[in-house]
Amino acid sequence: MALEFRSVTKVFPTNSGAPLTAVSDVSFRVNEGEFVSVVGPSGCGKSTILSMTAGLYQPSEGEVLVSEERVDGPNAHVGFMLQKDLLLPWRNIISNIEFGLESRGVPKAERHARAMAELKHCHLDGFDRQYPYQLSGGMRQRAALARTLAIDPEIILLDEPFSALDAQTKLLLQNSFAKTIAEAGKTTLLITHDLAEAVLMSDRILVLSERPGTIVAEIEVDLPHREEPIKRRVLPEVGEYAAQLFKHLKLEEKAA
Amino acid sequence: MTDATATQAGANAPAATRKRTIPGGLRMDRLNTTVASLGLLALVLLAWQYLPTALDVPKYIIPTLSDCLSELKRMWLYEGLTAHTLSTALYTLLGFLIGSLLGATLGYLLGMSAFWEKVLSPYILALQIAPKVAFAPLFIMWFGYNSVPKLLVTVLIVFFPVLVNVLQAMRTVDRDLINLARAYNLSRLGVFRKIEMPSTLPNLMAGLRIASTLAVIGVTVGELVGGNTGLGYLISYGGGQANAAMVFNAIVLLTVIGFVLYSALVRIENRILHYLPKAHG
């Protein structure tokens, strides 16, 4: 079991006094090598799930386990990526990729070698000496993925990493991420509001309700080409899955 | 699409050369502004030389350019101008270094402690508003007619813009970057060294630039109020003798000192902040 949430509830104190329940009694499991997406309306606590997995804060009730170990702080098992690439503008690409390895006592030469390997995996050969501002948005996200992969995490957390990109770049990047992640065999949790993206990239989709977020549905995506969303995209079943998600999120009722 | 084009451009041209190329039109623009600036300078110098005499303004009110130049030579020969200038330059630099070091240090310390920042912020605001140069006579009463008062005034005047800029920048460091560093198991010191310090560097440099212009004011006021060395002293000495040319020259030299310090900082800034995308020109 790569990741497990056991009846997790997270309550935040607020300035107005009334505490805010972000997620309530959430339980799910993610198997090793599986790609699971979490979809839900905005403010349903998707990012809270991610932050608790990364160990940035603790659940109020229940527990989060990564590789059978209780998460009680930031840990080496988890690598995360956000919508913002979070590359350090003062470092060139290669030393950005090395960033996560520096606090782990990896010797300099090995750091560099591993970073160069990830640079290649993410198709950024020749850009090692460039600075983030010299790269396009899609390339910066690929560099961020390389940095995430460099620490060799057991789980990769993706928090809407494609949402700031234009439509074409998004497609290409989803494809290249899916391929790289499949090759590396990494367990992945993708937080997204893009229903099509969830269908194209995942083995399984968890649907969260509005705040306080609870899991209202769990959908197995039984389609081929997980490592190549561009191929999966043309399958007729994709629309059916999206319609299912649509129904679970009660979007029609909201539109009425 | 954008991705692919960027890939090609990046692979064909190394970044450094791409960044340095200035399109022809922009180079012409730059030449034009330089010519216009120099033209304006020539015009002002000509007016300075001939207008006062043409309008019968006496020399002790507005000395002409040539009056100032001959006075400059006299000051250099008989008034120890070099020593005065060097003294002022030295104390400007010294005050600037000490003041900005203290300001930056306190800024970073307070930036790391929300508690102490809240406790001290009203006093910092009060001291920031208080006119620092007004402390000069007080410092002379305390420390006497030596170089300590002018150094203290300079340190005090330099201190605040650096402190405030650093503190402001520390408050606005990207939380997500800090979370990323925490997720990578960086220690508190590591977060400071690898995230907060470099993130706040642009603001620190901006604070230093403001401080460099203020440093000259601090030293000048210190020298004006007490002491017998420096360009500030020459100003009060020249003023007492109705020697306007001497005052003019001292002001020009003070400006030069400030300008040199400021330019040096801009060069350092361009070098260490090379990773910031620049607007053309």
Side-chain angles (χ1 to χ4, degrees):
Chain A
M1 196 62 53
L3 169 65
E4 188 175 358
F5 269 61
R6 285 189 194 152
S7 332
V8 170
T9 299
K10 178 68 187 174
V11 182
F12 289 105
T14 57
N15 288 335
S16 59
L20 179 101
T21 310
V23 290
S24 161
D25 195 25
V26 168
S27 299
F28 65 88
R29 300 168 145 215
V30 180
N31 296 317
E32 218 150 287
E34 207 180 6
F35 195 122
V36 173
S37 291
V38 179
V39 298
S42 49
C44 71
K46 292 182 298 241
S47 296
T48 309
I49 289 181
L50 187 128
S51 298
M52 285 190 291
T53 315
L56 293 176
Y57 40 75
Q58 311 300 316
S60 311
E61 281 167 47
E63 46 185 4
V64 178
L65 295 115
V66 170
S67 307
E68 320 288 338
E69 263 176 61
R70 199 192 153 112
V71 176
D72 51 9
N75 61 77
H77 303 301
V78 178
F80 75 95
M81 259 187 78
L82 309 183
Q83 178 182 337
K84 289 190 281 181
D85 52 66
L86 296 183
L87 295 175
L88 306 176
W90 51 87
R91 289 178 171 230
N92 60 25
I93 297 304
I94 197 72
S95 85
N96 259 298
I97 299 177
E98 284 178 40
F99 178 59
L101 296 169
E102 286 168 15
S103 53
R104 302 201 170 174
V106 183
K108 201 171 174 4
E110 192 192 329
R111 244 172 24 214
H112 188 73
R114 266 163 78 173
M116 283 308 265
E118 291 309 334
L119 193 77
K120 216 178 169 75
H121 286 154
C122 295
H123 309 284
L124 287 167
D125 312 61
F127 288 94
D128 50 330
R129 302 253 156 245
Q130 305 254 3
Y131 283 83
Y133 80 92
Q134 296 168 308
L135 269 58
S136 68
M139 289 161 79
R140 282 206 296 269
Q141 275 304 35
R142 289 213 302 267
L145 179 65
R147 176 184 61 196
T148 310
L149 290 170
I151 59 166
D152 195 23
E154 280 159 54
I155 300 182
I156 297 178
L157 304 174
L158 303 173
D159 191 358
E160 313 215 359
F162 311 112
S163 54
L165 303 168
D166 65 89
Q168 289 176 49
T169 311
K170 189 174 183 172
L171 268 180
L172 292 173
L173 207 63
Q174 284 168 348
N175 211 53
S176 107
F177 267 49
K179 212 174 239 171
T180 312
I181 286 170
E183 277 165 12
K186 295 289 177 203
T187 310
T188 310
L189 190 69
L190 168 72
I191 309 279
T192 181
H193 60 254
D194 182 337
L195 303 182
E197 181 173 289
V199 177
L200 292 181
M201 298 193 71
S202 343
D203 297 315
R204 203 145 52 88
I205 302 170
L206 303 172
V207 185
L208 282 189
S209 68
E210 274 182 68
R211 192 164 53 219
T214 50
I215 294 177
V216 291
E218 190 177 331
I219 297 169
E220 291 272 351
V221 183
D222 192 13
L223 294 174
H225 305 306
R226 196 203 85 186
E227 68 297 334
E228 259 181 303
I230 283 193
K231 278 196 186 155
R232 193 185 261 194
R233 212 170 146 259
V234 297
L235 299 175
E237 295 93 330
V238 168
E240 291 165 26
Y241 279 108
Q244 255 188 67
L245 290 174
F246 215 76
K247 209 174 72 203
H248 286 300
L249 290 168
K250 301 188 180 143
L251 292 179
E252 270 164 20
E253 289 165 37
K254 276 184 207 160
Chain B
M1 201 59 209
T2 43
D3 221 355
T5 17
T7 309
Q8 272 184 351
N12 292 341
T17 56
R18 257 201 307 166
K19 205 169 58 187
R20 297 273 150 76
T21 28
I22 305 158
L26 282 171
R27 201 176 299 157
M28 277 306 292
D29 272 1
R30 196 177 283 181
L31 191 68
N32 283 342
T33 50
T34 313
V35 168
S37 283
L38 289 176
L40 197 64
L41 178 69
L43 214 64
V44 170
L45 289 181
L46 276 174
W48 184 11
Q49 177 62 29
Y50 296 107
L51 269 186
T53 18
L55 297 173
D56 266 339
V57 180
K59 193 176 152 178
Y60 59 86
I61 302 289
I62 299 181
T64 62
L65 176 59
S66 54
D67 290 338
C68 283
L69 289 175
S70 60
E71 172 63 15
L72 187 69
K73 192 177 170 198
R74 196 194 66 78
M75 287 163 80
W76 183 55
L77 290 174
Y78 304 111
E79 306 277 0
L81 181 63
T82 323
H84 286 298
T85 310
L86 283 180
S87 160
T88 300
L90 178 72
Y91 282 105
T92 304
L93 188 66
L94 213 57
F96 170 75
L97 289 178
I98 299 173
S100 44
L101 192 71
L102 289 175
T105 310
L106 193 65
Y108 283 121
L109 285 176
L110 289 183
M112 283 194 271
S113 158
F115 174 76
W116 283 108
E117 194 210 317
K118 282 208 184 95
V119 171
L120 290 178
S121 65
Y123 307 111
I124 290 174
L125 184 68
L127 272 173
Q128 199 192 344
I129 293 167
K132 264 73 67 183
V133 293
F135 285 83
L138 208 55
F139 289 151
I140 290 172
M141 278 155 51
W142 293 344
F143 300 101
Y145 283 89
N146 51 39
S147 47
V148 178
K150 62 181 168 189
L151 195 61
L152 274 181
V153 175
T154 314
V155 167
L156 201 61
I157 207 170
V158 162
F159 179 76
F160 287 98
V162 179
L163 169 73
V164 170
N165 266 35
V166 167
L167 201 52
Q168 174 68 27
M170 282 292 275
R171 264 192 234 131
T172 51
V173 174
D174 189 342
R175 291 309 304 170
D176 289 327
L177 276 183
I178 291 178
N179 278 340
L180 179 83
R182 282 180 56 211
Y184 283 150
N185 276 321
L186 256 71
S187 61
R188 184 68 193 84
L189 192 69
V191 172
F192 174 69
R193 228 162 40 84
K194 293 188 175 173
I195 305 288
E196 289 172 326
M197 182 72 204
S199 292
T200 54
L201 214 51
N203 290 60
L204 173 64
M205 289 310 297
L208 291 181
R209 260 191 286 130
I210 300 168
S212 71
T213 59
L214 294 176
V216 185
I217 298 178
V219 176
T220 309
V221 170
E223 289 171 347
L224 272 173
V225 176
N228 51 12
T229 38
L231 294 169
Y233 162 72
L234 288 186
I235 288 176
S236 77
Y237 175 65
Q241 294 187 325
N243 185 347
M246 184 186 259
V247 178
F248 267 53
N249 286 335
I251 292 175
V252 170
L253 285 171
L254 281 168
T255 310
V256 170
I257 291 173
F259 188 79
V260 168
L261 186 58
Y262 185 87
S263 314
L265 280 168
V266 170
R267 292 194 82 141
I268 295 172
E269 184 174 339
N270 283 340
R271 179 159 291 192
I272 55 180
L273 298 182
H274 63 93
Y275 56 83
L276 293 180
K278 278 187 266 301
H280 281 290

